[in-house]
Amino acid sequence: MTEICTITKSPYGRLQDGRAVELYTLQNNRGMSVGIITYGGIITSLVCPDRDGQCDDVVLGFDALAPYETDSPYFGALIGRVGNRLADGRFELDAKPYQLALNENGVSHLHGGECGFDKVLWQAESRITSDAAELALRYVSADGDQGYPGNLTVEVVYRLTGDNRLFAEYRATTDAPTPVNLTQHSYFNLAGKGDVLHHELTLNAKAYTPIDQHLIPTGEIAPVANTPFDFRVAKKIGAELDTSDAQLTLAGGYDHNFAVSQATAGELTRAARVHEPTTGRVLTLHTTAPGVQFYSGNFLDGSLQGKGRDFTHRSGFCLEPQHFPDAPNQPNFADITLRPGEEYRSTLCFSFSTDT
């Protein structure tokens, strides 16, 4: 019987401290493959067909391990303990204050700190099921890691199915109260080249969370209607990107959290759809998370290279399912505290198809 999906394992290099990193390649029989390394749980490649059957790599990334360790803007990485930003690197939990590293311009704590989950070596276990290839990654973040309390045990299962869906299923438990907000940080370009301004984006969101000058949410949950943030009907990413909107000016483009409409805890909800008209590729995101960060590649400037090209301004976009940023400091946002005896659970699904 022919397998629908396969997994291969190969060496990917060694970190500066000498530890070996492995590459797992998940592949199905419809032309889709995903490369994932044990360092950072990073998706290094994602190959899928266009409307004519031509396969291209549609994620940004490097050709070797070294730049992932030293230069990466979170290309393809798993993010935690707390994704996105925490104002002043501070939060209070059960009346006790905590101070974390200020690893973004000395003013905020970003994506879990100086050594977040994107910079650790995960333990891997692969398996084949009747309709999928699965890679389970496990890591224990010790009490005090990056300033966070409690020993946090995390498992992330990547699952590639025979119908071109890639799942990431997150589980975590703790022995002391701690904030948790895990996500995935792939940069997509469905054309495999150029910028993403002509990609057509739909976001299932009636509201978003405006930011301040440090890209931290103000606490407001604002309607998208009559703003450049209204993607309820498909429009090109670049359609209103350069308008004189105060929020776009603060972020240098889109770098905002959107509130997923009709989101129900624990249930997959369609959050976004992206159509690339020249290739016909379509990416659809479903998530159990209440929010999704849409980032338009504002900080890419051509100084990073990989896969035979320079990663120039807005040459990739991110859709990061998440709880709302800076939630521990925002009474208007849902609590993200995980406590002993509870289990953190979150699932995302990137589905790939074409318009014909």
Side-chain angles (χ1 to χ4, degrees), residues 177-354:
T178 188
V180 181
N181 185 15
L182 309 180
T183 190
Q184 215 290 329
H185 207 296
S186 286
Y187 288 65
F188 295 99
N189 183 319
L190 300 183
K193 60 184 178 181
D195 62 45
V196 297
L197 301 181
H198 62 287
H199 286 53
E200 298 163 353
L201 171 65
T202 309
L203 284 170
N204 177 26
K206 297 178 182 178
Y208 79 109
T209 52
I211 56 172
D212 65 16
Q213 69 272 23
H214 299 307
L215 310 185
I216 302 290
T218 63
E220 181 185 7
I221 301 175
V224 300
N226 302 312
T227 77
F229 295 84
D230 192 349
F231 286 91
R232 290 174 294 175
V233 176
K235 69 180 179 185
K236 292 181 179 180
I237 288 174
E240 298 181 87
L241 195 52
D242 295 321
T243 58
S244 57
D245 177 88
Q247 284 291 305
L248 291 177
T249 300
L250 284 171
Y254 296 103
D255 195 0
H256 295 75
N257 171 66
F258 288 74
V260 179
S261 299
Q262 293 88 44
T264 302
E267 295 184 9
L268 283 170
T269 300
R270 192 173 103 161
R273 180 182 186 272
V274 186
H275 172 233
E276 201 290 301
T278 63
T279 64
R281 290 192 181 96
V282 176
L283 166 60
T284 305
L285 168 64
H286 287 77
T287 179
T288 61
V292 59
Q293 186 87 1
F294 168 47
Y295 173 56
S296 55
N298 312 321
F299 298 120
L300 297 173
D301 60 5
S303 61
L304 300 175
Q305 297 82 33
K307 305 182 180 183
R309 62 193 181 99
D310 297 336
F311 298 126
T312 53
H313 194 46
R314 294 172 180 158
S315 58
F317 68 88
C318 301
L319 293 169
E320 307 157 55
Q322 61 183 358
H323 290 273
F324 288 9
D326 198 38
N329 301 312
Q330 302 286 354
N332 200 29
F333 295 171
D335 185 19
I336 62 169
T337 303
L338 181 68
R339 297 183 179 276
E342 300 175 344
E343 183 181 40
Y344 176 98
R345 299 172 67 94
S346 182
T347 301
L348 66 84
C349 176
F350 292 123
S351 300
F352 294 86
S353 58
T354 63

Side-chain angles (χ1 to χ4, degrees), residues 81 117 122 137 139 141 151-156 169-175 178-182 338-346:
R81 286 188 192 189
F117 290 175
W122 294 71
L137 298 174
Y139 179 70
S141 175
N151 295 292
L152 186 73
T153 301
V154 183
E155 179 183 76
V156 181
E169 300 170 343
Y170 300 81
R171 305 287 184 269
T173 57
T174 184
D175 61 3
T178 188
V180 181
N181 185 15
L182 309 180
L338 181 68
R339 297 183 179 276
E342 300 175 344
E343 183 181 40
Y344 176 98
R345 299 172 67 94
S346 182

Side-chain angles (χ1 to χ4, degrees), residues 6-13 21-27 32-47 57 59 62 65 68 75-78 117 120-126 133-138 156-161 165-170 184 186 307 348 350:
T6 61
I7 300 177
T8 57
K9 175 184 174 182
S10 58
Y12 197 73
V21 175
E22 305 293 337
L23 169 67
Y24 287 83
T25 303
L26 288 59
Q27 188 165 5
M32 183 169 169
S33 67
V34 183
I36 302 165
I37 57 174
T38 50
Y39 178 71
I42 292 168
I43 294 175
T44 59
S45 65
L46 196 159
V47 175
D57 191 346
V59 295
F62 300 114
L65 176 60
Y68 283 114
F75 281 160
L78 295 177
F117 290 175
V120 302
L121 196 60
W122 294 71
Q123 297 298 311
E125 178 184 350
S126 62
E134 296 184 351
L135 179 66
L137 298 174
R138 300 181 181 92
V156 181
V157 178
Y158 284 113
R159 179 160 53 96
L160 175 64
T161 65
R165 291 183 296 165
L166 178 65
F167 291 84
E169 300 170 343
Y170 300 81
Q184 215 290 329
S186 286
K307 305 182 180 183
L348 66 84
F350 292 123

